[in-house]
Amino acid sequence: MFLKTHFIRIAAPLLLTPSLHAAEIKIPDPLAAPDGQLATTPDAWMANVRPPTLQNFREQIYGVRPVEKPADFQAKVIREDPQALDGTATLKEIEITYSGPGGSGKFHPLLLIPNSAKSPAPTFLLFSFGKPDASIEKEKFGAWPVREIIARGYATVAFHVSEVDPDRADGFAEGVRAIFSKQPLAPNAWGALSAWGWGASRVMDYLETDKAIDAKRVALIGHSRCGKAAVWAGAEDPRFSYVISNNSGCSGAALARTKQGERIINITTKFPYWFCENYRKYADHEADLPIDQHQLLGLIAPRLLYVASATQDSWSDPAAEFESCVRAQPVFRLFGKKGLESETQPAPDQAMLDGGIGYHLRTGKHDLAVSDWQHYMDFADRHWK
């Protein structure tokens, strides 16, 4: 049974392309509590709006985690190179271990810290599609430009999401979900995206213990499916002070009710294991969702948020991603933040960096490019320093 949500009506969606839906669309109000009362102060929103909104996303889309930090959680450095990247960085390979009713698990984040740092370094935490390898400065799908990150004074850490929970429909038995859950799964049981976010929080548990890291300034970044996981992880764990969605599209940053390209029916048919079972009932019934993705972005407030799109990425739908940012602004403004720099989608390759929500539309395909990273670091330079 999902929580009731108050809605507002808009005359037409803010899109650069025509919507698939009728001109009049009901959009959930991100400031509304379940009883319809609108929050007018940050305290009221935190007490009456944020908790039920977060719970709706758990119950209806990403699933409910049965555990956060396990009692026997351990993280230790198993390899260290103080002269990595031609002496510019210290490399640490971390081994994170845990156990539960279904067995034990481990994964291995790779951390690089600038040797030039005079104080604890702010950090970019990347969800990686493959085993991170600092020697090639690239992950399986997109850039991990470690030399540029280190030169800018930032540390960076990446972990392989499939080490936490396999990115396969038949991978349940090999991941963290099997350790803490049993099949058959409940309709609201956590999917792989939530499991990957759980892994990011465990990396954060380690970062809080490393004196070389400024744990108050950790950015969480993911591309595509990992971008979906990053936004959800950032909503679940407020320790991340900056959350970045790169081309996350459907079930990530893009508004579901106006979405073109990939929609709920496509994603739950091909990747049902990413989500809880409840999400499937909204395939071709987006209007029945008690929530929408702009509210997920609103859950990041008052922390920093950055959403990026690409001109050739119609499957992710840049218009719906930008519209979601526009619709999330009331929450940021409630906290005295600027929101977006402008409500007009910028020209390609022109980054919006002044507000609490950053945005750019990169020329090109569905990818995580070095130019994306440059904008993300520019945003951090402006708001963290």
Side-chain angles (χ1 to χ4, degrees), residues 324-339:
S324 193
C325 294
V326 172
R327 300 293 171 194
Q329 288 185 110
V331 185
F332 287 80
R333 289 171 176 164
L334 191 67
F335 283 89
K337 304 294 182 180
K338 186 176 178 180

mmCIF file of all heavy atoms in Angstrom, residues 324-339:
data_model
loop_
_atom_site.group_PDB
_atom_site.id
_atom_site.type_symbol
_atom_site.label_atom_id
_atom_site.label_comp_id
_atom_site.label_asym_id
_atom_site.label_seq_id
_atom_site.Cartn_x
_atom_site.Cartn_y
_atom_site.Cartn_z
ATOM 1 N N SER A 324 12.969 17.467 -14.821
ATOM 2 C CA SER A 324 13.011 16.969 -13.455
ATOM 3 C C SER A 324 13.791 17.912 -12.544
ATOM 4 O O SER A 324 13.400 18.153 -11.399
ATOM 5 C CB SER A 324 13.624 15.562 -13.443
ATOM 6 O OG SER A 324 13.420 14.919 -12.213
ATOM 7 N N CYS A 325 14.887 18.461 -13.053
ATOM 8 C CA CYS A 325 15.660 19.447 -12.281
ATOM 9 C C CYS A 325 14.815 20.682 -11.982
ATOM 10 O O CYS A 325 14.829 21.207 -10.861
ATOM 11 C CB CYS A 325 16.911 19.859 -13.037
ATOM 12 S SG CYS A 325 18.139 18.560 -13.268
ATOM 13 N N VAL A 326 14.081 21.145 -13.001
ATOM 14 C CA VAL A 326 13.218 22.309 -12.815
ATOM 15 C C VAL A 326 12.189 22.025 -11.720
ATOM 16 O O VAL A 326 11.954 22.855 -10.839
ATOM 17 C CB VAL A 326 12.517 22.682 -14.140
ATOM 18 C CG1 VAL A 326 11.476 23.777 -13.913
ATOM 19 C CG2 VAL A 326 13.544 23.146 -15.163
ATOM 20 N N ARG A 327 11.592 20.831 -11.764
ATOM 21 C CA ARG A 327 10.546 20.486 -10.804
ATOM 22 C C ARG A 327 11.083 20.241 -9.400
ATOM 23 O O ARG A 327 10.317 20.292 -8.428
ATOM 24 C CB ARG A 327 9.802 19.241 -11.282
ATOM 25 C CG ARG A 327 9.128 19.397 -12.645
ATOM 26 C CD ARG A 327 8.004 20.380 -12.601
ATOM 27 N NE ARG A 327 7.513 20.679 -13.941
ATOM 28 C CZ ARG A 327 6.716 21.699 -14.222
ATOM 29 N NH1 ARG A 327 6.337 22.524 -13.268
ATOM 30 N NH2 ARG A 327 6.316 21.914 -15.459
ATOM 31 N N ALA A 328 12.376 19.955 -9.266
ATOM 32 C CA ALA A 328 12.979 19.738 -7.944
ATOM 33 C C ALA A 328 13.317 21.044 -7.239
ATOM 34 O O ALA A 328 13.548 21.049 -6.020
ATOM 35 C CB ALA A 328 14.244 18.893 -8.082
ATOM 36 N N GLN A 329 13.336 22.143 -7.964
ATOM 37 C CA GLN A 329 13.806 23.415 -7.401
ATOM 38 C C GLN A 329 13.079 23.888 -6.143
ATOM 39 O O GLN A 329 13.730 24.450 -5.250
ATOM 40 C CB GLN A 329 13.722 24.514 -8.463
ATOM 41 C CG GLN A 329 14.740 24.395 -9.559
ATOM 42 C CD GLN A 329 14.674 25.576 -10.497
ATOM 43 O OE1 GLN A 329 15.577 26.408 -10.515
ATOM 44 N NE2 GLN A 329 13.595 25.676 -11.246
ATOM 45 N N PRO A 330 11.761 23.707 -6.021
ATOM 46 C CA PRO A 330 11.110 24.215 -4.812
ATOM 47 C C PRO A 330 11.714 23.716 -3.508
ATOM 48 O O PRO A 330 11.737 24.440 -2.510
ATOM 49 C CB PRO A 330 9.657 23.739 -4.981
ATOM 50 C CG PRO A 330 9.460 23.678 -6.460
ATOM 51 C CD PRO A 330 10.770 23.190 -7.000
ATOM 52 N N VAL A 331 12.217 22.480 -3.511
ATOM 53 C CA VAL A 331 12.826 21.952 -2.290
ATOM 54 C C VAL A 331 14.133 22.685 -1.999
ATOM 55 O O VAL A 331 14.393 23.098 -0.858
ATOM 56 C CB VAL A 331 13.066 20.436 -2.400
ATOM 57 C CG1 VAL A 331 13.572 19.894 -1.070
ATOM 58 C CG2 VAL A 331 11.802 19.712 -2.829
ATOM 59 N N PHE A 332 14.963 22.871 -3.003
ATOM 60 C CA PHE A 332 16.221 23.595 -2.805
ATOM 61 C C PHE A 332 15.955 25.030 -2.360
ATOM 62 O O PHE A 332 16.632 25.553 -1.465
ATOM 63 C CB PHE A 332 17.055 23.561 -4.085
ATOM 64 C CG PHE A 332 17.672 22.220 -4.366
ATOM 65 C CD1 PHE A 332 16.931 21.188 -4.939
ATOM 66 C CD2 PHE A 332 19.000 21.963 -4.039
ATOM 67 C CE1 PHE A 332 17.491 19.947 -5.180
ATOM 68 C CE2 PHE A 332 19.575 20.729 -4.270
ATOM 69 C CZ PHE A 332 18.820 19.711 -4.845
ATOM 70 N N ARG A 333 14.954 25.660 -2.962
ATOM 71 C CA ARG A 333 14.636 27.041 -2.599
ATOM 72 C C ARG A 333 14.114 27.138 -1.172
ATOM 73 O O ARG A 333 14.349 28.136 -0.481
ATOM 74 C CB ARG A 333 13.615 27.602 -3.590
ATOM 75 C CG ARG A 333 14.204 27.850 -4.971
ATOM 76 C CD ARG A 333 13.133 28.185 -5.983
ATOM 77 N NE ARG A 333 13.708 28.507 -7.289
ATOM 78 C CZ ARG A 333 13.013 28.535 -8.421
ATOM 79 N NH1 ARG A 333 11.699 28.258 -8.418
ATOM 80 N NH2 ARG A 333 13.604 28.833 -9.560
ATOM 81 N N LEU A 334 13.403 26.109 -0.719
ATOM 82 C CA LEU A 334 12.917 26.087 0.655
ATOM 83 C C LEU A 334 14.083 26.183 1.637
ATOM 84 O O LEU A 334 13.953 26.771 2.722
ATOM 85 C CB LEU A 334 12.119 24.804 0.896
ATOM 86 C CG LEU A 334 11.324 24.718 2.197
ATOM 87 C CD1 LEU A 334 10.184 25.729 2.217
ATOM 88 C CD2 LEU A 334 10.777 23.303 2.388
ATOM 89 N N PHE A 335 15.220 25.605 1.255
ATOM 90 C CA PHE A 335 16.414 25.644 2.095
ATOM 91 C C PHE A 335 17.278 26.881 1.833
ATOM 92 O O PHE A 335 18.393 26.974 2.332
ATOM 93 C CB PHE A 335 17.259 24.388 1.867
ATOM 94 C CG PHE A 335 16.713 23.165 2.540
ATOM 95 C CD1 PHE A 335 15.808 22.339 1.897
ATOM 96 C CD2 PHE A 335 17.102 22.843 3.830
ATOM 97 C CE1 PHE A 335 15.299 21.207 2.515
ATOM 98 C CE2 PHE A 335 16.610 21.714 4.457
ATOM 99 C CZ PHE A 335 15.692 20.886 3.808
ATOM 100 N N GLY A 336 16.773 27.816 1.019
ATOM 101 C CA GLY A 336 17.527 29.025 0.724
ATOM 102 C C GLY A 336 18.551 28.862 -0.369
ATOM 103 O O GLY A 336 19.409 29.731 -0.553
ATOM 104 N N LYS A 337 18.449 27.753 -1.126
ATOM 105 C CA LYS A 337 19.369 27.519 -2.231
ATOM 106 C C LYS A 337 18.788 28.078 -3.525
ATOM 107 O O LYS A 337 17.579 28.228 -3.678
ATOM 108 C CB LYS A 337 19.642 26.022 -2.395
ATOM 109 C CG LYS A 337 20.182 25.341 -1.147
ATOM 110 C CD LYS A 337 21.552 25.840 -0.774
ATOM 111 C CE LYS A 337 22.092 25.110 0.448
ATOM 112 N NZ LYS A 337 23.433 25.583 0.835
ATOM 113 N N LYS A 338 19.646 28.327 -4.483
ATOM 114 C CA LYS A 338 19.208 28.930 -5.729
ATOM 115 C C LYS A 338 18.489 27.965 -6.652
ATOM 116 O O LYS A 338 17.651 28.377 -7.460
ATOM 117 C CB LYS A 338 20.422 29.538 -6.465
ATOM 118 C CG LYS A 338 20.069 30.314 -7.721
ATOM 119 C CD LYS A 338 21.328 30.946 -8.321
ATOM 120 C CE LYS A 338 21.003 31.700 -9.606
ATOM 121 N NZ LYS A 338 22.213 32.315 -10.193
ATOM 122 N N GLY A 339 18.744 26.682 -6.567
ATOM 123 C CA GLY A 339 18.208 25.738 -7.545
ATOM 124 C C GLY A 339 19.032 25.822 -8.812
ATOM 125 O O GLY A 339 20.266 25.917 -8.779
#
